[in-house]
Amino acid sequence: MTDIRVGQGYDVHAFGEGDHVVLGGVRVPHERGVLAHSDGDVVIHALCDALLGALALGDIGVHFPPSDARWKGCDSRVFLRHCQALLAERGWRVGNADVTVVCERPKVAAHAPAMRANLAADLGIEVDAVSIKATTSEKLGFTGRGEGLAAMAVALLVRA
Ligand code: MG
């Protein structure tokens, strides 16, 4: 039996109508919203996929299918807490998590402390075990053209 597991996740949402995006459970003002069944929180969706990946339990689409009306407009922190419960039931806790947001705008850095606090609270770990980074893609590709935003996440699980 190993004492650590690692998982990675990736998520994308296209911009659409709206006046804000939700990132790490934080409402970030923006001149666009995102097209999504839930609140379209790419940070949490990528992180959930990292946690599910570490557990080899499939992906977020399996656990929270867009076809299920329960998840329409859903606060993605519900998904994160569910993933936390799944890993805790199996004797794991999150050692640390690291998320990179990729977009030209909105600017993420000012919101990172609140995002880290939300994620740490939902995972039951210290804020210093949760990292939020941000980068542009130098105006290249769909994120560079401002068509949407993406996030990548890595999470380490350790024995609880
Ligand atoms: Mg998503």
Side-chain angles (χ1 to χ4, degrees):
M1 208 60 180
T2 55
D3 291 327
I4 58 172
R5 302 291 291 264
V6 67
Q8 64 93 25
Y10 175 67
D11 192 46
V12 171
H13 282 277
F15 286 128
E17 293 286 304
D19 62 2
H20 70 281
V21 296
V22 180
L23 294 172
V26 176
R27 184 186 171 101
V28 177
H30 190 49
E31 72 268 23
R32 315 287 319 272
V34 293
L35 301 174
H37 187 70
S38 66
D39 62 8
D41 189 327
V42 290
V43 168
I44 288 183
H45 295 181
L47 181 53
C48 285
D49 262 357
L51 300 175
L52 293 170
L55 296 168
L57 284 179
D59 59 43
I60 195 169
V62 172
H63 292 264
F64 309 101
S67 55
D68 189 331
R70 273 183 300 170
W71 314 125
K72 186 164 171 50
C74 183
D75 177 349
S76 292
R77 293 182 69 181
V78 170
F79 303 160
L80 184 58
R81 292 184 201 118
H82 181 78
C83 291
Q84 167 60 26
L86 289 174
L87 68 92
E89 281 166 12
R90 288 162 177 76
W92 299 101
R93 64 180 173 82
V94 175
N96 74 297
D98 183 22
V99 183
T100 302
V101 183
V102 185
C103 61
E104 301 296 319
R105 294 192 324 104
K107 290 300 172 197
V108 169
H111 303 283
M115 294 163 59
R116 294 172 65 204
N118 285 345
L119 302 181
D122 290 344
L123 296 173
I125 58 177
E126 297 298 318
V127 172
D128 67 5
V130 180
S131 163
I132 298 285
K133 312 193 302 299
T135 185
T136 70
S137 48
E138 299 292 345
K139 298 195 162 54
L140 297 170
F142 71 89
T143 51
R145 292 188 296 271
E147 296 169 1
L149 71 175
M152 297 176 282
V154 176
L156 183 76
L157 303 188
V158 297
R159 281 289 171 200

